């Protein structure tokens, strides 16, 4: 068996399809986001502007967050000491879980090392605890949700994206006594659209299903206190389990779920992804705690972010660039070809000092490859104008058609 040949062939296939992933070598400049330094190539470090970070509100650069992390480092040291089962609960973990539970109006919350782990561990454990459970999953759900459902070993029914009629058809086909769980996202991060939460909850109540919502691209971003789309739409009390991340709008690292104490206790007691992994560093937890508290009482960052997204969408549309229809802060530009998407990204970085990562299969379906922009509160109109002009020039250079100017 030639193992090297197998591995080489696997990588060659990615190159041939134009979707081999290259990760930029970058250092962000503290306090100067979206400015960063790029070490890619032989002429670094080179100043660049970041347009694709999920640190949506630049809270990873916020003075309150940095100060809290520095204080925690000097107070308790760097690490947590192991799993919470072995090392115990650092009090900061307890404080943050209480804060997150209150944010979503739930009885409890549970921290994980990432949003991926929180989805995988929770969904796989829930379904195993519900004998004969069937999970109904939106077709555009994140890979971590898909992994959790697969690892549960239960039956899965995939409904067409945000298609309530199809979801009801699948629910109605199951016996009333069958345990059911509807898993969906609030904001779908590649298209930027939103789930009809209340309508899904109506179906869940009608057919006796639990509801599980992934709010990773919405927590901190929407609602008067940053509770996500479920807070904005006054639907949090209708959702059984709310899952979120601490590494996007909150700017640090980690994931969590919020639910009633019964569910939290079950996941805490049965989920291997929680039990057998070292808990988050208290330094990270302290930073998140400061971020969550700040965003609960401040709408300044959210309002500025929404304005930036709306402005960039308008500029792209007026220039005839193929900006996709998005109702949220996500600004995707359709390219439709992996090689061209990578080429555009490379030109932007090399010639214009603009960093945006191409989004290819399997993150999005083949033929829908795109560039995904996430403008934030500190992306100025001048930066947006420069970006738009650069994209128009590249579109012309690559003989790609622009739409009639809006």
């Amino acid at each position: 068996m030639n193992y090297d040949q197998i591995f080489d062939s696997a990588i060659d296939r990615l190159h041939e399809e134009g979707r081999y992933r290259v990760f930029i070598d970058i250092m962000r400049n503290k306090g100067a986001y979206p400015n960063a330094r790029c070490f890619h190539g032989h002429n670094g470090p080179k100043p660049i502007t970041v347009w694709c970070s999920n640190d949506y509100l630049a809270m990873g650069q916020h003075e309150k967050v940095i100060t809290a992390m520095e204080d925690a480092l000097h107070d308790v040291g760097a690490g947590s000491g192991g799993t919470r089962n072995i090392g115990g609960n650092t009090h900061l973990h307890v404080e943050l879980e209480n804060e997150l539970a209150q944010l979503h109006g739930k009885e409890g919350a549970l921290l994980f090392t990432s949003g991926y782990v929180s989805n995988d561990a929770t969904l796989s454990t829930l379904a195993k605890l519900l004998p004969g459970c069937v999970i109904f999953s939106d077709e555009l759900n994140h890979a971590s949700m898909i992994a959790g459902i697969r690892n549960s070993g239960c039956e899965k029914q995939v409904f067409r994206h945000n298609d309530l009629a199809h979801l009801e058809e699948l629910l109605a086909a199951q016996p009333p006594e069958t345990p059911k769980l509807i898993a969906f996202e609030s904001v779908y991060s590649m298209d930027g659209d939103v789930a009809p939460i209340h309508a899904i909850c109506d179906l869940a109540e009608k057919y006796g299903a639990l509801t599980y919502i992934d709010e990773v691209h919405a927590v901190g971003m929407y609602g008067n206190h940053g509770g996500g789309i479920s807070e904005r739409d006054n639907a949090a009390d209708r959702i059984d389990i709310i899952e979120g991340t601490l590494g996007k709008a909150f700017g640090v690292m980690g994931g969590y779920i919020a639910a009633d104490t019964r569910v939290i206790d079950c996941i805490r007691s049965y989920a291997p992804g929680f039990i057998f992994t070292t808990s988050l560093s208290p330094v990270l937890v302290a930073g998140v705690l400061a971020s969550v508290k700040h965003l609960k009482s401040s709408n300044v960052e959210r309002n500025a972010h929404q304005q930036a997204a709306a402005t960039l969408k308008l500029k792209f549309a007026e220039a005839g660039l193929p900006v996709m229809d998005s109702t949220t802060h996500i600004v995707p530009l359709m390219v439709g070809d992996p090689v061209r998407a990578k080429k555009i990204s490379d030109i932007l970085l090399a010639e214009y000092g603009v960093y945006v990562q191409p989004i290819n299969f399997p993150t999005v379906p083949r033929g829908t490859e795109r560039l995904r922009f996430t403008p934030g509160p500190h992306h100025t109109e001048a930066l947006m104008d420069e970006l738009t002009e650069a994209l128009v020039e590249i579109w012309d250079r690559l003989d790609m058609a622009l739409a009639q100017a809006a």
Side-chain angles (χ1 to χ4, degrees):
M1 177 67 69
N2 189 332
Y3 295 107
D4 289 344
Q5 185 178 8
I6 292 172
F7 297 139
D8 287 341
S9 296
I11 296 300
D12 287 343
R13 287 196 300 273
L14 295 178
H15 281 292
E16 289 166 6
E17 295 172 14
R19 59 186 186 93
Y20 178 76
R21 294 171 187 254
V22 177
F23 301 137
I24 189 173
D25 189 351
I26 187 175
M27 292 280 276
R28 297 200 294 174
N29 298 327
K30 175 181 173 289
Y33 182 82
N35 297 317
R37 290 157 283 162
C38 175
F39 294 81
H40 212 60
H42 303 291
N43 299 318
K46 163 187 171 180
I48 61 170
T49 303
V50 178
W51 282 96
C52 56
S53 173
N54 284 340
D55 185 1
Y56 293 131
L57 304 178
M59 290 303 295
Q61 306 281 312
H62 199 283
E63 198 57 43
K64 287 183 181 178
V65 174
I66 293 169
T67 298
M69 295 178 75
E70 289 174 339
D71 289 347
L73 179 64
H74 293 293
D75 184 25
V76 299
S80 66
T83 67
R84 291 169 74 171
N85 181 53
I86 298 296
N89 288 329
T90 299
H91 185 64
L92 288 165
H93 290 74
V94 177
E95 281 191 85
L96 179 55
E97 285 174 343
N98 290 337
E99 200 74 31
L100 292 167
Q102 191 274 334
L103 174 66
H104 295 293
K106 300 299 182 185
E107 294 176 348
L110 191 66
L111 292 175
F112 295 85
T113 50
S114 73
Y116 190 106
V117 174
S118 57
N119 270 334
D120 187 0
T122 304
L123 285 167
S124 61
T125 302
L126 271 177
K128 287 175 182 174
L129 292 174
L130 298 169
C133 179
V134 177
I135 296 184
F136 301 85
S137 175
D138 188 288
E139 67 176 337
L140 293 188
N141 276 344
H142 189 264
S144 57
M145 300 175 76
I146 295 169
I149 295 167
R150 182 184 299 118
N151 291 337
S152 74
C154 75
E155 181 182 347
K156 176 180 71 173
Q157 298 281 326
V158 178
F159 61 93
R160 291 185 293 271
H161 178 53
N162 280 349
D163 189 330
L164 297 170
H166 189 213
L167 173 58
E168 181 163 21
E169 177 186 329
L170 296 174
L171 287 165
Q174 295 294 326
E177 65 274 13
T178 297
K180 306 172 186 71
L181 174 67
I182 304 172
F184 62 106
E185 300 184 35
S186 60
V187 173
Y188 289 86
S189 63
M190 292 301 126
D191 290 358
D193 59 343
V194 173
I197 298 179
H198 279 293
I200 289 174
C201 290
D202 289 342
L203 291 177
E205 292 172 5
K206 181 177 180 180
Y207 292 97
L210 295 173
T211 47
Y212 181 102
I213 190 170
D214 176 318
E215 286 257 42
V216 297
H217 290 277
V219 290
M221 305 288 294
Y222 298 91
N224 287 332
H225 305 94
I229 298 293
S230 57
E231 183 195 10
R232 185 198 72 177
D233 292 355
N234 296 311
D237 62 323
R238 304 187 69 190
I239 301 289
D240 293 296
I241 301 132
I242 296 174
E243 184 268 347
T245 184
L246 308 171
K248 292 183 172 63
F250 293 130
V252 189
M253 180 183 176
Y256 68 92
I257 59 168
D260 68 34
T261 52
R262 187 180 292 105
V263 169
I264 295 297
D265 200 20
C266 281
I267 302 304
R268 182 188 66 85
S269 301
Y270 282 94
F274 173 80
I275 297 170
F276 298 108
T277 190
T278 298
S279 62
L280 284 169
S281 162
V283 176
L284 298 174
V285 175
V288 176
L289 186 59
S291 183
V292 172
K293 287 182 176 179
H294 175 80
L295 290 175
K296 273 186 175 181
S297 60
S298 173
N299 278 308
V300 173
E301 293 82 5
R302 280 188 283 275
N303 292 340
H305 189 276
Q306 289 296 318
Q307 182 59 53
T311 301
L312 188 62
K313 290 176 192 176
L314 180 61
K315 288 182 182 295
F316 281 177
E318 288 179 340
L321 291 163
V323 59
M324 297 170 62
D325 186 21
S326 162
T327 59
T328 61
H329 58 281
I330 308 296
V331 185
L333 268 190
M334 177 59 68
V335 179
D337 176 79
V339 175
R340 278 187 164 177
K342 177 69 166 57
K343 181 68 173 176
I344 297 167
S345 173
D346 288 346
I347 294 173
L348 283 169
L349 184 62
E351 299 182 23
Y352 291 96
V354 166
Y355 172 49
V356 60
Q357 187 76 352
I359 307 295
N360 294 329
F361 178 84
T363 307
V364 295
R366 296 180 194 274
T368 68
E369 293 82 5
R370 66 201 64 177
L371 302 175
R372 175 182 175 274
F373 296 87
T374 54
H378 304 299
H379 287 96
T380 64
E381 280 209 50
L383 287 174
M384 294 182 196
D385 287 335
E386 292 171 6
L387 171 64
T388 303
E389 290 169 7
L391 286 165
V392 168
E393 186 278 319
I394 296 169
W395 244 251
D396 180 66
R397 188 193 312 187
L398 300 181
D399 295 321
M400 296 169 65
L402 294 170
Q404 186 69 35

